[in-house]
Every structure is written in structure tokens, then in C-alpha cells.
Amino acid sequence: MKQNATGKASAIAPLARKAALAGLIPLLALASSSPAWAADPWPAKPLRLILPAAPGGSSDPTARLLAEEMSKRLGQPIAVLNRPGAGGNVGMAEAARAGADGYTIVLSWTGPLATNMALYKNPNFDSQKDFSPIAKVGCVPNIVAVNKDLPVETLADYINLAKSRPQGLTYGSTGTGSSWHIAGAMIQKETGAKLVHVPYTSPGVATTDLMSGQLESMLPLVIMMEPYVKDGRIKGLAVMSKTRSPVLPQVPSTAELGMPDLVSDTCFALLTPAGVPQPVIDRLNAVANDVLKDPNVKERLEASGITVEGGSADHLRDYIKSETIRQAEIVQAINAKAD
């Protein structure tokens, strides 16, 4: 009897071991296929925010403000890395290759995200395929600014004068494909006004020429014109947006003037390289929106001309898709090329 019991036990033991190993295999497979970020609570180390613009530029304070505030909420430092060049393409290409570990963020804007897709033959990245949206930060509209002695008081006056003159009206920009240039092309497309593009290498020189009368108009971002419009050295006829700008609330928007499609602005957005796990993107979106709702942050952004938006990742995705199509139409209409 003892021998039989021992024999049975010996036969059962290998089967039990096999069953235990069989149950372990799926667990081991799951563990080996889990991404590295799942091993530790995210974020477990410092992050970096790539800004495809030079230090000290107009977008630099925005990037540093967002990095500082997001860092407080994430509990990890966020270093801002400036990567200027080729209208933002250099920094965007670097960010696209950064990998999907969840530790790289990029702050970009309409130019690299939409305009450059048509303006450059090969920007070395695809704004829709190579990135996952986090959240839209907000937008700064262009403004229709004219010499104070130009015989116009409204946007309608400006358009009618440009149509009536055989030579049209001059408008300055910071170069081919710039937001100033695109804004002028949009006015021509939407209204039939004749505008003559005068490219400048320096916005300061363009502003000086506008005040002296050598240039009749220009269409810069509203924040640039704030002091000049406020003291009467330049006339602001309209901001090219759905709503008025917080920095020049006395200037009407094109939408309220009956031109809802005449919108030209620079919108800022936060993104990650494509492939970052959805839980990380969801956390970044929640943190970004919390930052943008902060009254102090909102006040500082509005002081720089940004109308704060926020919202879902899908909201930003839809914006990039539709704006890329719209910008391509304008770039093709004016036959603009940057390379």
C-alpha cells in the first residue's frame, strides 16, 4: 500500500509542476510585453519641453511658464530646450525622433504644425503622423494695422480703398510664408482686395516704415501693435479672429464685422512624439488644462496676446487637420515656397 501511495505521489508531482509552469507562462509573457513606463509610476524622472524657436523670442516666455506650472503638478522638473531653425522644422524634427517614452513634450504653433507642411518641400516631419496631440494652449490673432494718415477708419474702408486703387495697397511682412504674409493672402482671397506684399527681414524696420508712411499697412500679431495702437501712432482696424483680443479689446474682430471666415492667427499647442501611451497623454492633457485654468497663468498668457483655449486632445487633433488643409490652400494660391 505504501509503495502504491508513493508511486501515485511521484506520478502526480510532475503534473502539478507542469500546471504551475503553464499558469506562469502567460504572466511572464505579459510582463515582458509591458512597456518600460509601466514599471514605475509616471513620471519617474525629469521631462524636457522642446521649443522649436530661439531663446528670448515671443514664444519663449510661454514655454517657460507652461513648463514651470506643469512641473509643479507633475512633481518632476521640466527643462525647456530651444531648438530653432527652418521656421520651426529643426526642433519639430528632433522632437519627432525623441521616442515615445513619455518624457518629451513639444510646444509648437501654426507655422510648423500647418503652414510648413505646404511651404517646405521636405520639412523632415509630419505634424499629424509623427506627433500625438496633448492640448491647444491658445491663439494670438493677426491685426490689420495701417498708417495713421491712411484715409480709412474701418476694415470695410481698407478693403474698398484697396479695390479702388489700380496699384492696390502695400502691406509688409517678415518674409514669404510668415503669418503676416499669409494674413494678407487671406484678405485678398476672401474679399478681392488688391494688396502688394512687401517682405522685410526685420519687424522693427517694417513698423518704422509703417509709422513714417513708406508702408501703408501690415498684418502682424496683435501683441506687436499694442503700444502703437494705444497711443495713436498706428491705427488698428480689426483683429483677424472670432473674438476680440484681450490686449486691444477696443479693436473689433473680423467675425463681428461680418467676416467669420477671415481668421488668421498663430495658435500654440502641446504635443508628444507619436506612440506615447494613452494614459500618459491623458495625464498630460489633464495637467495642461489645469494650468490653463489657473487665473494667474491665464492673466499672464492674455498679457502676451494669447486667447487661452485648452480642451481635449481630439480638439487639437481636429484643429491641426483642418488648419493644415486651409494653410495649404493659401500657400498654393500665392505660390509661396521656403526651399
PDB file of all heavy atoms in Angstrom, residues 14 56 60 67 84 105 171 181 188 256:
ATOM      1  N   PRO A  14       5.053  15.636 -11.034  1.00  0.00           N
ATOM      2  CA  PRO A  14       5.428  16.280 -12.308  1.00  0.00           C
ATOM      3  C   PRO A  14       4.253  17.001 -12.966  1.00  0.00           C
ATOM      4  O   PRO A  14       4.412  18.049 -13.579  1.00  0.00           O
ATOM      5  CB  PRO A  14       5.917  15.108 -13.167  1.00  0.00           C
ATOM      6  CG  PRO A  14       6.312  14.064 -12.199  1.00  0.00           C
ATOM      7  CD  PRO A  14       5.360  14.195 -11.055  1.00  0.00           C
ATOM      8  N   GLY A  56      14.520  83.804 -25.976  1.00  0.00           N
ATOM      9  CA  GLY A  56      14.202  85.225 -25.988  1.00  0.00           C
ATOM     10  C   GLY A  56      13.151  85.631 -26.989  1.00  0.00           C
ATOM     11  O   GLY A  56      12.751  86.791 -27.037  1.00  0.00           O
ATOM     12  N   ASP A  60       9.085  82.069 -26.185  1.00  0.00           N
ATOM     13  CA  ASP A  60       9.927  81.572 -25.103  1.00  0.00           C
ATOM     14  C   ASP A  60       9.289  81.738 -23.720  1.00  0.00           C
ATOM     15  O   ASP A  60       9.273  80.782 -22.929  1.00  0.00           O
ATOM     16  CB  ASP A  60      11.289  82.260 -25.162  1.00  0.00           C
ATOM     17  CG  ASP A  60      12.379  81.465 -24.450  1.00  0.00           C
ATOM     18  OD1 ASP A  60      12.542  80.270 -24.758  1.00  0.00           O
ATOM     19  OD2 ASP A  60      13.048  82.028 -23.566  1.00  0.00           O
ATOM     20  N   ALA A  67       6.081  75.135 -18.699  1.00  0.00           N
ATOM     21  CA  ALA A  67       6.978  74.136 -18.114  1.00  0.00           C
ATOM     22  C   ALA A  67       7.003  74.253 -16.591  1.00  0.00           C
ATOM     23  O   ALA A  67       6.940  73.251 -15.869  1.00  0.00           O
ATOM     24  CB  ALA A  67       8.381  74.294 -18.688  1.00  0.00           C
ATOM     25  N   PRO A  84      15.872  76.195 -32.495  1.00  0.00           N
ATOM     26  CA  PRO A  84      15.390  76.997 -33.616  1.00  0.00           C
ATOM     27  C   PRO A  84      15.921  76.510 -34.954  1.00  0.00           C
ATOM     28  O   PRO A  84      16.849  75.703 -35.014  1.00  0.00           O
ATOM     29  CB  PRO A  84      15.939  78.387 -33.289  1.00  0.00           C
ATOM     30  CG  PRO A  84      17.215  78.105 -32.538  1.00  0.00           C
ATOM     31  CD  PRO A  84      16.944  76.861 -31.734  1.00  0.00           C
ATOM     32  N   ILE A 105       8.043  66.590 -24.420  1.00  0.00           N
ATOM     33  CA  ILE A 105       6.890  67.393 -24.821  1.00  0.00           C
ATOM     34  C   ILE A 105       7.405  68.416 -25.819  1.00  0.00           C
ATOM     35  O   ILE A 105       8.579  68.798 -25.786  1.00  0.00           O
ATOM     36  CB  ILE A 105       6.268  68.122 -23.607  1.00  0.00           C
ATOM     37  CG1 ILE A 105       5.960  67.158 -22.481  1.00  0.00           C
ATOM     38  CG2 ILE A 105       5.006  68.879 -24.007  1.00  0.00           C
ATOM     39  CD1 ILE A 105       5.601  67.846 -21.170  1.00  0.00           C
ATOM     40  N   TYR A 171       1.410  96.093 -48.126  1.00  0.00           N
ATOM     41  CA  TYR A 171       1.424  95.557 -46.756  1.00  0.00           C
ATOM     42  C   TYR A 171       2.739  94.846 -46.510  1.00  0.00           C
ATOM     43  O   TYR A 171       3.246  94.126 -47.362  1.00  0.00           O
ATOM     44  CB  TYR A 171       0.222  94.639 -46.497  1.00  0.00           C
ATOM     45  CG  TYR A 171       0.324  93.229 -47.016  1.00  0.00           C
ATOM     46  CD1 TYR A 171       0.656  92.163 -46.165  1.00  0.00           C
ATOM     47  CD2 TYR A 171       0.069  92.922 -48.358  1.00  0.00           C
ATOM     48  CE1 TYR A 171       0.725  90.854 -46.634  1.00  0.00           C
ATOM     49  CE2 TYR A 171       0.129  91.621 -48.835  1.00  0.00           C
ATOM     50  CZ  TYR A 171       0.460  90.593 -47.966  1.00  0.00           C
ATOM     51  OH  TYR A 171       0.524  89.301 -48.429  1.00  0.00           O
ATOM     52  N   HIS A 181       2.355  87.444 -43.986  1.00  0.00           N
ATOM     53  CA  HIS A 181       2.163  87.222 -45.423  1.00  0.00           C
ATOM     54  C   HIS A 181       0.877  86.433 -45.675  1.00  0.00           C
ATOM     55  O   HIS A 181       0.060  86.784 -46.536  1.00  0.00           O
ATOM     56  CB  HIS A 181       3.374  86.468 -45.981  1.00  0.00           C
ATOM     57  CG  HIS A 181       3.349  86.279 -47.459  1.00  0.00           C
ATOM     58  ND1 HIS A 181       4.101  85.313 -48.105  1.00  0.00           N
ATOM     59  CD2 HIS A 181       2.646  86.908 -48.436  1.00  0.00           C
ATOM     60  CE1 HIS A 181       3.877  85.378 -49.406  1.00  0.00           C
ATOM     61  NE2 HIS A 181       2.995  86.334 -49.638  1.00  0.00           N
ATOM     62  N   GLN A 188      -6.998  88.973 -49.400  1.00  0.00           N
ATOM     63  CA  GLN A 188      -7.201  89.023 -50.852  1.00  0.00           C
ATOM     64  C   GLN A 188      -8.154  87.923 -51.312  1.00  0.00           C
ATOM     65  O   GLN A 188      -9.046  88.156 -52.129  1.00  0.00           O
ATOM     66  CB  GLN A 188      -5.856  88.898 -51.564  1.00  0.00           C
ATOM     67  CG  GLN A 188      -4.928  90.078 -51.328  1.00  0.00           C
ATOM     68  CD  GLN A 188      -3.619  89.948 -52.087  1.00  0.00           C
ATOM     69  OE1 GLN A 188      -3.539  90.296 -53.271  1.00  0.00           O
ATOM     70  NE2 GLN A 188      -2.600  89.449 -51.427  1.00  0.00           N
ATOM     71  N   GLU A 256     -17.120  89.700 -35.926  1.00  0.00           N
ATOM     72  CA  GLU A 256     -18.214  90.608 -35.580  1.00  0.00           C
ATOM     73  C   GLU A 256     -18.470  91.647 -36.671  1.00  0.00           C
ATOM     74  O   GLU A 256     -19.548  92.250 -36.713  1.00  0.00           O
ATOM     75  CB  GLU A 256     -17.964  91.295 -34.240  1.00  0.00           C
ATOM     76  CG  GLU A 256     -16.856  92.338 -34.238  1.00  0.00           C
ATOM     77  CD  GLU A 256     -16.634  92.950 -32.862  1.00  0.00           C
ATOM     78  OE1 GLU A 256     -15.870  92.369 -32.066  1.00  0.00           O
ATOM     79  OE2 GLU A 256     -17.233  94.007 -32.581  1.00  0.00           O
TER      80      GLU A 256
END
